[in-house]
mmCIF file of all heavy atoms in Angstrom:
data_model
loop_
_atom_site.group_PDB
_atom_site.id
_atom_site.type_symbol
_atom_site.label_atom_id
_atom_site.label_comp_id
_atom_site.label_asym_id
_atom_site.label_seq_id
_atom_site.Cartn_x
_atom_site.Cartn_y
_atom_site.Cartn_z
ATOM 1 N N ASP P 656 -4.785 3.872 -77.195
ATOM 2 C CA ASP P 656 -3.734 3.845 -78.256
ATOM 3 C C ASP P 656 -3.755 2.713 -79.203
ATOM 4 O O ASP P 656 -2.983 2.704 -80.185
ATOM 5 C CB ASP P 656 -2.382 3.938 -77.550
ATOM 6 C CG ASP P 656 -2.091 2.733 -76.637
ATOM 7 O OD1 ASP P 656 -3.145 2.062 -76.298
ATOM 8 O OD2 ASP P 656 -1.004 2.579 -76.192
ATOM 9 N N THR P 657 -4.632 1.717 -78.958
ATOM 10 C CA THR P 657 -4.646 0.596 -79.870
ATOM 11 C C THR P 657 -5.858 -0.272 -79.522
ATOM 12 O O THR P 657 -6.659 0.035 -78.615
ATOM 13 C CB THR P 657 -3.375 -0.224 -79.733
ATOM 14 O OG1 THR P 657 -3.351 -1.270 -80.774
ATOM 15 C CG2 THR P 657 -3.319 -1.001 -78.408
ATOM 16 N N THR P 658 -6.070 -1.395 -80.231
ATOM 17 C CA THR P 658 -7.067 -2.338 -79.973
ATOM 18 C C THR P 658 -6.437 -3.729 -79.973
ATOM 19 O O THR P 658 -5.530 -4.002 -80.755
ATOM 20 C CB THR P 658 -8.161 -2.264 -81.055
ATOM 21 O OG1 THR P 658 -8.824 -1.061 -81.071
ATOM 22 C CG2 THR P 658 -9.241 -3.426 -80.829
ATOM 23 N N VAL P 659 -6.918 -4.578 -79.014
ATOM 24 C CA VAL P 659 -6.360 -5.952 -78.929
ATOM 25 C C VAL P 659 -7.451 -6.896 -79.345
ATOM 26 O O VAL P 659 -8.615 -6.788 -78.806
ATOM 27 C CB VAL P 659 -5.918 -6.253 -77.478
ATOM 28 C CG1 VAL P 659 -5.268 -7.657 -77.453
ATOM 29 C CG2 VAL P 659 -4.959 -5.179 -76.960
ATOM 30 N N TYR P 660 -7.164 -7.794 -80.272
ATOM 31 C CA TYR P 660 -8.104 -8.782 -80.702
ATOM 32 C C TYR P 660 -7.658 -10.168 -80.183
ATOM 33 O O TYR P 660 -6.522 -10.597 -80.397
ATOM 34 C CB TYR P 660 -8.162 -8.830 -82.252
ATOM 35 C CG TYR P 660 -8.979 -10.020 -82.744
ATOM 36 C CD1 TYR P 660 -10.273 -10.291 -82.316
ATOM 37 C CD2 TYR P 660 -8.454 -10.840 -83.776
ATOM 38 C CE1 TYR P 660 -11.020 -11.348 -82.829
ATOM 39 C CE2 TYR P 660 -9.188 -11.934 -84.322
ATOM 40 C CZ TYR P 660 -10.465 -12.116 -83.832
ATOM 41 O OH TYR P 660 -11.195 -13.224 -84.276
ATOM 42 N N VAL P 661 -8.618 -10.762 -79.394
ATOM 43 C CA VAL P 661 -8.348 -12.077 -78.811
ATOM 44 C C VAL P 661 -9.280 -13.075 -79.594
ATOM 45 O O VAL P 661 -10.494 -13.082 -79.337
ATOM 46 C CB VAL P 661 -8.617 -12.151 -77.315
ATOM 47 C CG1 VAL P 661 -8.338 -13.496 -76.762
ATOM 48 C CG2 VAL P 661 -7.841 -11.064 -76.587
ATOM 49 N N PRO P 662 -8.748 -13.958 -80.442
ATOM 50 C CA PRO P 662 -9.623 -14.786 -81.257
ATOM 51 C C PRO P 662 -10.158 -15.956 -80.418
ATOM 52 O O PRO P 662 -9.780 -16.159 -79.272
ATOM 53 C CB PRO P 662 -8.620 -15.349 -82.324
ATOM 54 C CG PRO P 662 -7.425 -14.536 -82.195
ATOM 55 C CD PRO P 662 -7.313 -14.092 -80.825
ATOM 56 N N SER P 663 -11.073 -16.658 -81.000
ATOM 57 C CA SER P 663 -11.562 -17.924 -80.362
ATOM 58 C C SER P 663 -10.374 -18.857 -80.218
ATOM 59 O O SER P 663 -9.461 -18.910 -81.010
ATOM 60 C CB SER P 663 -12.614 -18.567 -81.315
ATOM 61 O OG SER P 663 -13.749 -17.746 -81.507
ATOM 62 N N GLY P 664 -10.481 -19.596 -79.082
ATOM 63 C CA GLY P 664 -9.428 -20.537 -78.809
ATOM 64 C C GLY P 664 -8.205 -19.924 -77.997
ATOM 65 O O GLY P 664 -7.245 -20.658 -77.797
ATOM 66 N N PHE P 665 -8.346 -18.636 -77.580
ATOM 67 C CA PHE P 665 -7.364 -18.006 -76.835
ATOM 68 C C PHE P 665 -7.922 -17.460 -75.540
ATOM 69 O O PHE P 665 -9.116 -17.141 -75.433
ATOM 70 C CB PHE P 665 -6.712 -16.848 -77.591
ATOM 71 C CG PHE P 665 -5.752 -17.239 -78.674
ATOM 72 C CD1 PHE P 665 -6.230 -17.715 -79.902
ATOM 73 C CD2 PHE P 665 -4.355 -17.230 -78.442
ATOM 74 C CE1 PHE P 665 -5.325 -18.083 -80.932
ATOM 75 C CE2 PHE P 665 -3.462 -17.655 -79.420
ATOM 76 C CZ PHE P 665 -3.969 -18.046 -80.640
ATOM 77 N N THR P 666 -7.100 -17.370 -74.482
ATOM 78 C CA THR P 666 -7.496 -16.815 -73.209
ATOM 79 C C THR P 666 -6.449 -15.711 -72.819
ATOM 80 O O THR P 666 -5.302 -15.832 -73.022
ATOM 81 C CB THR P 666 -7.430 -17.918 -72.061
ATOM 82 O OG1 THR P 666 -8.384 -18.929 -72.351
ATOM 83 C CG2 THR P 666 -7.696 -17.336 -70.680
ATOM 84 N N ALA P 667 -6.997 -14.607 -72.338
ATOM 85 C CA ALA P 667 -6.205 -13.461 -71.964
ATOM 86 C C ALA P 667 -6.232 -13.220 -70.420
ATOM 87 O O ALA P 667 -7.290 -13.387 -69.834
ATOM 88 C CB ALA P 667 -6.687 -12.203 -72.715
ATOM 89 N N VAL P 668 -5.116 -12.849 -69.875
ATOM 90 C CA VAL P 668 -5.026 -12.500 -68.417
ATOM 91 C C VAL P 668 -4.294 -11.222 -68.267
ATOM 92 O O VAL P 668 -3.279 -10.979 -68.981
ATOM 93 C CB VAL P 668 -4.207 -13.684 -67.677
ATOM 94 C CG1 VAL P 668 -4.123 -13.290 -66.221
ATOM 95 C CG2 VAL P 668 -4.987 -15.008 -67.828
ATOM 96 N N VAL P 669 -4.756 -10.322 -67.398
ATOM 97 C CA VAL P 669 -4.064 -9.094 -67.065
ATOM 98 C C VAL P 669 -3.138 -9.359 -65.959
ATOM 99 O O VAL P 669 -3.516 -9.872 -64.869
ATOM 100 C CB VAL P 669 -5.074 -8.020 -66.680
ATOM 101 C CG1 VAL P 669 -4.343 -6.672 -66.410
ATOM 102 C CG2 VAL P 669 -6.107 -7.859 -67.745
ATOM 103 N N ASP P 670 -1.855 -9.087 -66.136
ATOM 104 C CA ASP P 670 -0.837 -9.387 -65.038
ATOM 105 C C ASP P 670 -0.674 -8.179 -64.138
ATOM 106 O O ASP P 670 -1.393 -7.131 -64.301
ATOM 107 C CB ASP P 670 0.478 -9.833 -65.660
ATOM 108 C CG ASP P 670 1.249 -8.695 -66.383
ATOM 109 O OD1 ASP P 670 0.833 -7.528 -66.314
ATOM 110 O OD2 ASP P 670 2.255 -9.052 -67.023
ATOM 111 N N GLY P 671 0.223 -8.233 -63.211
ATOM 112 C CA GLY P 671 0.428 -7.228 -62.228
ATOM 113 C C GLY P 671 0.864 -5.904 -62.687
ATOM 114 O O GLY P 671 0.768 -4.873 -62.074
ATOM 115 N N ALA P 672 1.438 -5.855 -63.863
ATOM 116 C CA ALA P 672 1.923 -4.643 -64.472
ATOM 117 C C ALA P 672 0.965 -4.123 -65.549
ATOM 118 O O ALA P 672 1.326 -3.179 -66.333
ATOM 119 C CB ALA P 672 3.330 -4.847 -65.135
ATOM 120 N N ALA P 673 -0.269 -4.695 -65.553
ATOM 121 C CA ALA P 673 -1.346 -4.238 -66.466
ATOM 122 C C ALA P 673 -1.024 -4.712 -67.919
ATOM 123 O O ALA P 673 -1.689 -4.272 -68.899
ATOM 124 C CB ALA P 673 -1.595 -2.777 -66.423
ATOM 125 N N ASP P 674 -0.068 -5.626 -68.149
ATOM 126 C CA ASP P 674 0.181 -6.150 -69.438
ATOM 127 C C ASP P 674 -0.808 -7.276 -69.681
ATOM 128 O O ASP P 674 -1.233 -7.965 -68.755
ATOM 129 C CB ASP P 674 1.606 -6.809 -69.504
ATOM 130 C CG ASP P 674 2.678 -5.778 -69.245
ATOM 131 O OD1 ASP P 674 2.466 -4.606 -69.662
ATOM 132 O OD2 ASP P 674 3.742 -6.134 -68.666
ATOM 133 N N LEU P 675 -1.242 -7.440 -70.940
ATOM 134 C CA LEU P 675 -2.079 -8.591 -71.307
ATOM 135 C C LEU P 675 -1.264 -9.750 -71.748
ATOM 136 O O LEU P 675 -0.351 -9.603 -72.585
ATOM 137 C CB LEU P 675 -3.009 -8.215 -72.454
ATOM 138 C CG LEU P 675 -4.364 -7.577 -72.114
ATOM 139 C CD1 LEU P 675 -5.122 -7.242 -73.418
ATOM 140 C CD2 LEU P 675 -5.188 -8.502 -71.317
ATOM 141 N N ARG P 676 -1.503 -10.926 -71.163
ATOM 142 C CA ARG P 676 -0.860 -12.193 -71.515
ATOM 143 C C ARG P 676 -1.854 -13.104 -72.232
ATOM 144 O O ARG P 676 -2.883 -13.465 -71.601
ATOM 145 C CB ARG P 676 -0.292 -12.887 -70.247
ATOM 146 C CG ARG P 676 0.483 -11.978 -69.321
ATOM 147 C CD ARG P 676 1.779 -11.471 -69.856
ATOM 148 N NE ARG P 676 2.776 -12.427 -69.779
ATOM 149 C CZ ARG P 676 3.611 -12.580 -68.815
ATOM 150 N NH1 ARG P 676 3.618 -11.819 -67.742
ATOM 151 N NH2 ARG P 676 4.595 -13.499 -68.857
ATOM 152 N N ILE P 677 -1.690 -13.347 -73.485
ATOM 153 C CA ILE P 677 -2.641 -14.106 -74.278
ATOM 154 C C ILE P 677 -2.018 -15.436 -74.638
ATOM 155 O O ILE P 677 -0.927 -15.470 -75.247
ATOM 156 C CB ILE P 677 -3.018 -13.292 -75.574
ATOM 157 C CG1 ILE P 677 -3.543 -11.888 -75.144
ATOM 158 C CG2 ILE P 677 -4.098 -14.064 -76.328
ATOM 159 C CD1 ILE P 677 -3.803 -10.978 -76.340
ATOM 160 N N ARG P 678 -2.759 -16.525 -74.407
ATOM 161 C CA ARG P 678 -2.277 -17.877 -74.711
ATOM 162 C C ARG P 678 -3.386 -18.677 -75.408
ATOM 163 O O ARG P 678 -4.551 -18.437 -75.148
ATOM 164 C CB ARG P 678 -1.890 -18.640 -73.408
ATOM 165 C CG ARG P 678 -0.503 -18.262 -72.822
ATOM 166 C CD ARG P 678 -0.306 -19.015 -71.524
ATOM 167 N NE ARG P 678 1.098 -18.769 -71.081
ATOM 168 C CZ ARG P 678 2.021 -19.676 -71.088
ATOM 169 N NH1 ARG P 678 1.775 -20.917 -71.618
ATOM 170 N NH2 ARG P 678 3.204 -19.393 -70.631
ATOM 171 N N ALA P 679 -2.922 -19.483 -76.307
ATOM 172 C CA ALA P 679 -3.913 -20.471 -76.904
ATOM 173 C C ALA P 679 -4.380 -21.390 -75.874
ATOM 174 O O ALA P 679 -3.661 -21.736 -74.910
ATOM 175 C CB ALA P 679 -3.204 -21.253 -78.008
ATOM 176 N N ASN P 680 -5.661 -21.770 -75.854
ATOM 177 C CA ASN P 680 -6.241 -22.519 -74.823
ATOM 178 C C ASN P 680 -5.554 -23.808 -74.527
ATOM 179 O O ASN P 680 -5.397 -24.257 -73.382
ATOM 180 C CB ASN P 680 -7.707 -22.821 -75.072
ATOM 181 C CG ASN P 680 -8.548 -21.546 -74.979
ATOM 182 O OD1 ASN P 680 -8.118 -20.551 -74.382
ATOM 183 N ND2 ASN P 680 -9.755 -21.561 -75.555
#
Side-chain angles (χ1 to χ4, degrees):
D656 58 347
T657 189
T658 298
V659 185
Y660 171 52
V661 182
S663 297
F665 284 81
T666 297
V668 178
V669 183
D670 69 11
D674 301 325
L675 268 180
R676 316 290 284 267
I677 304 171
R678 283 178 172 251
N680 289 343

